[in-house]
């Protein structure tokens, strides 16, 4: 439960997407410098994307966002506790539930009375305010400046007020909770204006909302984990015939070094670079990955894979960079067209995977590339049209046996 959508900070004035251009070209490789910033007024270098430092990223991702539960339903209570949420809100009307539930589970009850929330020892934990008009929201001030937690109940719930609350408390040392009647409302509060509120109060009588919110948070929590990518050496590049190729267009922009994990075999997925490259042949499309033919696997949230042919608008995939940092992105459109293909084989040196061959089909085009290991401050992407035996590319190794995209334990032979 953290800051869920971390983007890079782009600095500079120039062509609309020139920050996506290669900063330097070495032979037939696209090379990007990752730690430079374009100086306003200077025309000597391309605008570049300045990534957040690892310390900033870690701090953002490790900010836990608590979920408090407000319910009269014992089944909701049980489901919440099983998922690690044990702070519950009670009113004077259901105060006896706190004593009943405390006898069967370890919970932290909070009691709402006179616009404050107090714990079992009558210590003030949070203020509570109901807001029903835009003017109330604009003039809202916490009742007690000494209390660190603020709970707000938007009686006329809308998305814009959710964003206004986030904006109003940005930079504040207070943790702001919003009362949500649905899991979808809670998601918006946690994501509004990218940073989101500090937490949510889920006020429901159906445990389906508990499952939905926990599933959402688990997926976002995956973004804290860095995937282990390994170097693989290209052993064969072979031009084949025509195939049904899939272009995946996302609802997010990708920066240099980012792409999707794709592979003909589930046991090894290649990091296929996005089309954020400037080319003499076609305009940059930083939202697109020319991903490969319909049979190929693509990595999706939850440690799963699915076939490229199964992707459609609204589904989610994971975007990964050359360091293994991942984030979730929504598919906006999928295009399937007949295109000439090229088949690439690679293997990993050493370890238990020594000698295992991994393969991927891709469109045979200058704008399609594989990510190579970074060299210092440089990110390298190699167009498949320039790829040769001995080149190194980034690979994600995983179990090859899959059932409906979920990794399982069984013997499998892919060739």
């Amino acid at each position: 439960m953290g800051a869920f959508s971390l983007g890079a900070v782009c600095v500079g004035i120039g062509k609309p997407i020139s920050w996506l251009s290669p900063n330097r070209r070495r032979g037939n490789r696209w090379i990007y410098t990752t730690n430079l910033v374009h100086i306003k007024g200077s025309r000597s270098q391309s605008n570049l994307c300045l990534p957040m430092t690892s310390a900033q990223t870690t701090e953002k991702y490790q900010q836990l966002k608590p979920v408090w539960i407000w319910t009269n339903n014992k089944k909701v209570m049980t489901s919440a506790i099983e998922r690690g949420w044990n702070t519950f809100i009670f009113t004077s009307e259901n105060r006896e539930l706190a004593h009943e539930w405390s006898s069967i589970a370890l919970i932290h009850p909070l009691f709402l009375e006179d616009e404050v929330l107090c714990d079992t020892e009558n210590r003030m934990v949070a203020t509570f305010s109901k807001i029903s008009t835009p003017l109330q929201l604009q003039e809202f001030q916490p009742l007690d400046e000494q209390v660190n937690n603020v709970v707000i109940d938007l009686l006329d719930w809308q998305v814009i007020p959710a964003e206004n609350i986030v904006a109003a408390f940005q930079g504040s040392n207070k943790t702001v909770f919003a009362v949500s009647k649905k899991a979808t409302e809670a998601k918006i509060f946690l994501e509004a204006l990218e940073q989101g509120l500090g937490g949510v109060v889920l006020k429901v009588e159906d445990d389906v909302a508990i499952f939905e919110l926990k599933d959402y948070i688990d997926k976002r929590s995956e973004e804290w984990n860095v995937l282990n990518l390994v170097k693989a050496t290209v052993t064969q590049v072979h031009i084949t015939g025509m195939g049904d190729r899939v272009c995946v267009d996302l609802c997010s922009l990708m920066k240099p070094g980012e792409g999707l994990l794709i592979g003909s075999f589930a046991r090894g997925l290649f990091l296929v670079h996005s089309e954020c490259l400037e080319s003499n042949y076609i305009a940059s499309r930083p939202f697109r990955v020319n991903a490969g033919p319909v049979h190929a696997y693509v990595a999706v949230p939850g440690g799963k894979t699915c076939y490229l042919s199964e992707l459609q608008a609204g589904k989610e995939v994971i975007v990964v960079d050359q360091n293994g940092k991942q984030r979730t992105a929504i598919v906006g459109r999928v295009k399937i067209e007949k295109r000439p293909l090229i088949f690439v084989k690679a293997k990993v040196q050493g370890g238990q995977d020594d000698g295992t061959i991994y393969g991927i089909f891709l469109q045979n085009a200058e704008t399609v590339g594989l990510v190579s290991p970074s060299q210092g401050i440089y990110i390298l992407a190699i167009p498949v049209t320039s790829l040769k035996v001995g080149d190194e590319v980034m690979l994600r190794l995983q179990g090859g046996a899959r059932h409906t995209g979920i990794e399982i334990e069984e013997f499998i032979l892919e060739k």
Side-chain angles (χ1 to χ4, degrees):
M1 300 179 290
F4 298 134
S5 182
L6 296 177
V9 180
C10 295
V11 183
I13 306 295
K15 292 184 293 183
I17 55 174
S18 63
W19 63 273
L20 295 166
S21 317
N23 173 250
R24 184 182 298 182
R25 197 172 183 91
R26 182 183 300 162
N28 291 321
R29 272 56 172 164
W30 295 304
I31 303 173
Y32 304 87
T33 308
T34 60
N35 64 347
L36 300 178
V37 182
H38 180 76
I39 300 173
K40 185 176 180 180
S42 169
R43 299 182 182 274
S44 61
Q45 63 188 104
S46 299
N47 297 339
L48 295 167
C49 196
L50 178 64
M52 292 184 176
T53 66
S54 58
Q56 289 173 314
T57 302
T58 301
E59 180 182 359
K60 291 288 185 183
Y61 273 74
Q62 289 182 348
Q63 288 177 350
L64 297 181
K65 295 196 174 187
V67 176
W68 296 351
I69 308 298
W70 191 347
T71 186
N72 292 313
N73 189 296
K74 187 176 180 179
K75 190 176 180 181
V76 172
M77 180 271 293
T78 303
S79 298
I81 289 176
E82 289 174 349
R83 281 146 189 83
W85 299 329
N86 59 1
T87 299
F88 293 86
I89 293 177
F90 301 93
T91 63
S92 56
E93 288 79 13
N94 68 348
R95 192 180 183 97
E96 68 282 354
L97 277 181
H99 302 293
E100 178 186 338
W101 291 355
S102 295
S103 66
I104 59 177
L106 180 61
I107 68 171
H108 299 297
L110 298 177
F111 302 99
L112 175 60
E113 193 169 347
D114 297 329
E115 298 186 318
V116 295
L117 286 160
C118 296
D119 62 15
T120 54
E121 297 181 8
N122 208 34
R123 292 174 298 197
M124 190 182 300
V125 175
T127 61
F128 181 88
S129 300
K130 292 182 178 180
I131 294 177
S132 57
T133 67
L135 181 61
Q136 281 182 314
L137 180 59
Q138 184 178 351
E139 297 178 348
F140 174 74
Q141 292 293 330
L143 296 176
D144 192 325
E145 291 295 331
Q146 303 303 313
V147 179
N148 292 328
N149 300 308
V150 177
V151 178
I152 297 174
D153 189 358
L154 285 175
L155 300 182
D156 181 20
W157 195 94
Q158 295 179 51
V159 175
I160 296 301
E163 294 178 348
N164 291 348
I165 292 174
V166 174
F169 283 89
Q170 196 163 20
S172 169
N173 59 358
K174 295 185 180 297
T175 300
V176 182
F177 293 75
V179 177
S180 306
K181 280 78 172 181
K182 301 176 183 177
T184 50
E185 290 180 8
K187 294 175 191 177
I188 291 175
F189 279 121
L190 292 172
E191 289 185 338
L193 295 185
E194 195 168 355
Q195 298 300 316
L197 292 179
V200 292
V201 174
L202 193 58
K203 187 177 182 182
V204 295
E205 300 301 322
D206 187 341
D207 64 350
V208 171
I210 299 290
F211 303 143
E212 290 177 354
L213 184 58
K214 186 62 167 64
D215 181 61
Y216 160 81
I217 289 175
D218 285 346
K219 286 181 179 179
R220 293 302 178 265
S221 296
E222 286 179 4
E223 298 178 4
W224 303 353
N225 301 322
V226 176
L227 294 177
N228 182 33
L229 303 182
V230 299
K231 299 177 185 178
T233 303
V234 174
T235 61
Q236 182 180 341
V237 181
H238 176 60
I239 295 176
T240 63
M242 302 290 286
D244 293 330
R245 181 271 290 134
V246 180
C247 265
V248 182
D249 292 348
L250 304 179
C251 296
S252 308
L253 295 176
M254 286 169 281
K255 62 180 184 287
E258 286 188 322
L260 300 181
L261 290 171
I262 311 289
S264 285
F265 308 130
R267 62 176 179 259
L269 304 180
F270 292 72
L271 183 52
V272 180
H273 202 275
S274 73
E275 286 195 3
C276 67
L277 312 168
E278 280 198 351
S279 166
N280 295 327
Y281 308 100
I282 193 169
S284 169
R285 290 180 173 62
F287 52 82
R288 172 173 296 172
V289 174
N290 190 327
V294 288
H295 78 280
Y297 290 104
V298 58
V300 297
K304 301 177 182 179
T305 59
C306 74
Y307 297 116
L308 286 175
S309 60
E310 295 175 330
L311 288 183
Q312 57 183 330
K315 287 216 170 188
E316 291 183 326
V317 293
I318 59 171
V319 174
V320 182
D321 72 6
Q322 81 284 359
N323 295 315
K325 292 179 182 176
Q326 59 176 314
R327 58 188 174 93
T328 301
I330 298 170
V331 175
R333 173 179 54 246
V334 171
K335 292 201 312 173
I336 301 177
E337 301 158 310
K338 288 193 179 298
R339 293 292 185 268
L341 301 178
I342 190 168
F343 186 44
V344 179
K345 290 184 179 180
K347 68 178 181 178
V348 177
Q349 301 290 342
Q352 63 181 13
D353 297 294
D354 188 23
T356 303
I357 297 297
Y358 306 91
I360 184 173
F361 282 89
L362 292 165
Q363 181 181 340
N364 187 15
E366 293 83 354
T367 54
V368 182
L370 294 175
V371 176
S372 186
S374 60
Q375 298 181 5
I377 62 174
Y378 297 110
I379 300 170
L380 276 70
I382 308 175
V384 294
T385 51
S386 304
L387 201 62
K388 65 182 186 301
V389 173
D391 283 337
E392 288 188 325
V393 295
M394 301 305 294
L395 203 66
R396 165 71 173 168
L397 302 184
Q398 56 187 21
R402 299 263 154 177
H403 177 67
T404 63
I406 303 171
E407 186 173 335
I408 60 173
E409 295 270 347
E410 72 172 8
F411 171 77
I412 185 172
L413 177 62
E414 292 179 302
K415 60 181 181 179

